[in-house]
Amino acid sequence: MAIAALSALDRRHTVAPPGYNRWLIPPAALAIHLCIGQAYATSVYKNSLVSHFDASLTSVGIVFSIAIVMLGLSAAVFGTWVDTGGPRRAMVAAALCWSVGFLVGAAGIAMGQLWLLYLGYGVIGGIGLGIGYISPVSTLIKWFPDRPGLATGLAIMGFGGGALVASPVSSWLLARYDPSFDASDPNAVASGAAVAGLFVTLGLVYLVVMLFGAWLIRVPADDWKPDGFEPDEVESKSLVTTASVSAANAVKTPQFWLLWTVLFCNVTAGIGILEQAAPMIQDFFRGDNGSSVSPAAAAGFVGLLSICNMAGRFVWSSTSDVVGRKPIYLGYLGVGMVLYAALALIGSSATVLFVLFAGVIISFYGGGFSTVPAYLKDLFGTYQVGAIHGRLLTAWAAAGVAGPLIINGFLDAQGTPGELTADAYRPALLTMVGVLAVGFVANLLVRPVAERFHEQERSGAETGRAADDVPSGGGVATMTRTEAPARTKSRQVLLTVAWLVVGVPLAYGIYQTLVETVSLFG
């Protein structure tokens, strides 16, 4: 029984039947990414954990750092396993790790054992983060060969939007579990029992939503292609290949390491602002009588950046389908350099300018994440793009350490937190201009992958698909006249339900964030 249940997760049991609507795949991917995107919402309960464990901010902040490092490592280690075994198996594994991570973390909070929080949310949850992040990517690209940037942008947008949902929901739950907790106060502290209850609730809810996404996911049959799509036309586009490169060969190419550098530089620069967003806007507008930006307005600014992060993942990645991957990264990095310099030199002259510069920079940060899978597909083909993407995400793990170290290192040398001004940030921001310049040059150097790295023509079994992946009848199924309307109607209902499951929470999160953001300009 158990073996049969596990075999149902294999790729060969998830091949889509004829007539399957490919627009069911984005909500399946969003169901995963909206859940694991909670990683960006840890600030909601960070002060509560500091108080509960009587620990430093650094000791508690390590939990997030461990999770991001494990994301990069697990994505690299399990990337090939995800590609060969299919998305459903990987999504179920991600759901279990992410949920168990919360439950183990809750036990650590309840028992006052910080190391259990490291193990649960950091290590186990971080493995779920990595597997979950890459699990739908190659499937989306195969379903949307005509619009890979749009497809990956839709899914990875969910990772940026996960915090928009998790932040207000977590504040609401903490207030329910601890009546003394004031959700409107960004410095409020909830009891340890309330945070443990929050972890249990999130762990169970995320398990259900992620398993729904895993149940929904399908892979296309080998001979499937979108109506009107001609694969031969792809060859005429610059840097786009129809050949295949394995993950093992990809890491031997200069193109992989150039893209690794591009992603590292883009993330390092963006995460520097995200990590310091609230204190940064207050420090930029600090005078003799304190900051003109209130804590509530600073919290609104953080929410606005979350919206920019999420929107950039969809808008810029979709735009790359039109202008190309290399030109869009020239924009992320080149325009980013100009904006960082402007932020450092004139950002303190007006709040509107500061918010505008920072918002566009963070939109480029998000766009860099969602565009890179399509860039990899262009250069290396679809054969093992998920595994290649997993290896590339080690750049994110490295940048997650480097970005905060650079910013915090400069700020520590400039003075005391809470007394800094715009002048203290200028050396760090101008350093980021240099970081982006390195990425800009690396992107300029990207060329098509040499033929010696291409794979020979492979059979279905060699590409990770068994011969019985294709439904009986060579992938062509027939329906009776009475079956067709009923099946079409059921698929339309499923499509509506799937989008409601991910769309309603996302709309709620955006609305709540916009309400908080009003105070920034009030």
Side-chain angles (χ1 to χ4, degrees):
M1 183 71 71
I3 295 176
L6 289 175
S7 67
L9 304 179
D10 291 343
R11 175 187 289 274
R12 64 193 181 91
H13 291 300
T14 60
V15 178
Y20 189 81
N21 191 330
R22 65 174 175 166
W23 288 100
L24 281 166
I25 305 303
L30 277 167
I32 300 295
H33 276 247
L34 280 173
C35 293
I36 62 176
Q38 186 275 343
Y40 279 146
T42 55
S43 61
V44 173
Y45 49 78
K46 188 174 182 180
N47 288 337
S48 301
L49 291 176
V50 169
S51 174
H52 175 66
F53 287 110
D54 191 22
S56 66
L57 281 169
T58 300
S59 298
V60 171
I62 288 175
V63 177
F64 176 75
S65 298
I66 293 173
I68 294 301
V69 169
M70 292 305 300
L71 183 158
L73 293 177
S74 61
V77 171
F78 294 107
T80 303
W81 177 79
V82 170
D83 260 357
T84 57
R88 180 175 291 172
R89 184 176 70 178
M91 291 163 79
V92 169
L96 293 174
C97 287
W98 188 232
S99 179
V100 170
F102 272 98
L103 298 180
V104 173
I109 296 169
M111 298 165 61
Q113 298 294 320
L114 186 57
W115 70 271
L116 272 178
L117 186 59
Y118 290 164
L119 173 64
Y121 189 93
V123 177
I124 301 174
I127 293 173
L129 270 175
I131 296 175
Y133 193 89
I134 64 173
S135 59
V137 169
S138 63
T139 302
L140 279 164
I141 288 174
K142 288 166 184 172
W143 276 110
F144 291 86
D146 49 341
R147 287 178 282 183
L150 179 145
T152 56
L154 270 174
I156 296 177
M157 174 186 74
F159 193 84
L164 300 183
V165 180
S167 292
V169 169
S170 295
S171 295
W172 182 82
L173 286 171
L174 287 174
R176 294 299 177 275
Y177 295 148
D178 181 359
S180 66
F181 178 79
D182 183 3
S184 63
D185 181 1
N187 297 313
V189 173
S191 67
V195 182
L198 170 68
F199 268 51
V200 171
T201 304
L202 292 179
L204 295 178
V205 171
Y206 286 152
L207 178 64
V208 172
V209 176
M210 293 173 77
L211 289 179
F212 172 74
W215 171 77
L216 201 62
I217 199 76
R218 297 287 189 279
V219 296
D222 287 338
D223 58 353
W224 180 88
K225 66 177 182 178
D227 292 338
F229 175 67
E230 295 298 333
D232 292 341
E233 295 179 2
V234 174
E235 296 179 351
S236 63
K237 296 183 179 180
S238 176
L239 289 180
V240 180
T241 183
T242 55
S244 298
V245 180
S246 69
N249 276 342
V251 297
K252 300 175 184 177
T253 66
Q255 287 82 357
F256 176 88
W257 294 107
L258 288 170
L259 279 191
W260 192 98
T261 302
V262 167
L263 185 63
F264 172 81
C265 292
N266 195 56
V267 174
T268 297
I271 210 167
I273 285 186
L274 279 178
E275 202 254 349
Q276 286 288 334
M280 185 177 180
I281 192 172
Q282 291 182 290
D283 291 340
F284 257 68
F285 299 95
R286 188 180 304 282
D288 294 336
N289 298 320
S291 178
S292 61
V293 178
S294 67
F301 173 63
V302 174
L304 182 62
L305 289 187
S306 295
I307 292 179
C308 293
N309 182 9
M310 182 190 71
R313 291 169 186 252
F314 175 69
V315 173
W316 298 127
S317 185
S318 299
T319 303
S320 75
D321 285 334
V322 179
V323 304
R325 275 23 116 175
K326 187 172 182 177
I328 203 76
Y329 271 98
L330 292 177
Y332 297 156
L333 300 160
V335 178
M337 284 189 283
V338 174
L339 292 174
Y340 256 103
L343 190 64
L345 300 175
I346 63 173
S348 60
S349 60
T351 307
V352 172
L353 278 180
F354 180 92
V355 172
L356 176 63
F357 294 156
V360 177
I361 287 171
I362 294 305
S363 77
F364 290 163
Y365 166 83
F369 277 119
S370 57
T371 309
V372 81
Y375 207 162
L376 292 172
K377 175 261 179 188
D378 289 351
L379 289 171
F380 301 109
T382 60
Y383 168 44
Q384 288 190 340
V385 68
I388 300 169
H389 185 217
R391 286 161 172 76
L392 195 78
L393 288 181
T394 54
W396 183 5
V401 175
L405 279 178
I406 293 172
I407 294 290
N408 291 330
F410 276 106
L411 295 182
D412 286 342
Q414 294 293 322
T416 305
E419 300 177 2
L420 300 174
T421 63
D423 291 338
Y425 285 83
R426 288 196 178 100
L429 294 176
L430 293 176
T431 298
M432 291 304 180
V433 174
V435 170
L436 288 174
V438 172
F440 186 85
V441 172
N443 186 56
L444 280 177
L445 295 175
V446 173
R447 298 289 186 271
V449 176
E451 289 187 11
R452 68 179 183 275
F453 295 108
H454 293 174
E455 297 294 301
Q456 298 299 317
E457 196 68 30
R458 290 172 173 265
S459 66
E462 289 176 305
T463 58
R465 302 185 182 204
D468 57 348
D469 278 358
V470 180
S472 59
V476 178
T478 58
M479 293 183 288
T480 66
R481 292 183 179 179
T482 56
E483 289 175 330
R487 183 170 297 185
T488 300
K489 184 177 180 179
S490 66
R491 285 173 177 166
Q492 290 173 341
V493 171
L494 180 59
L495 183 66
T496 302
V497 171
W499 278 103
L500 284 174
V501 167
V502 296
V504 170
L506 188 56
Y508 167 77
I510 293 173
Y511 170 76
Q512 290 294 329
T513 303
L514 289 174
V515 169
E516 291 182 4
T517 305
V518 170
S519 63
L520 181 60
F521 302 101

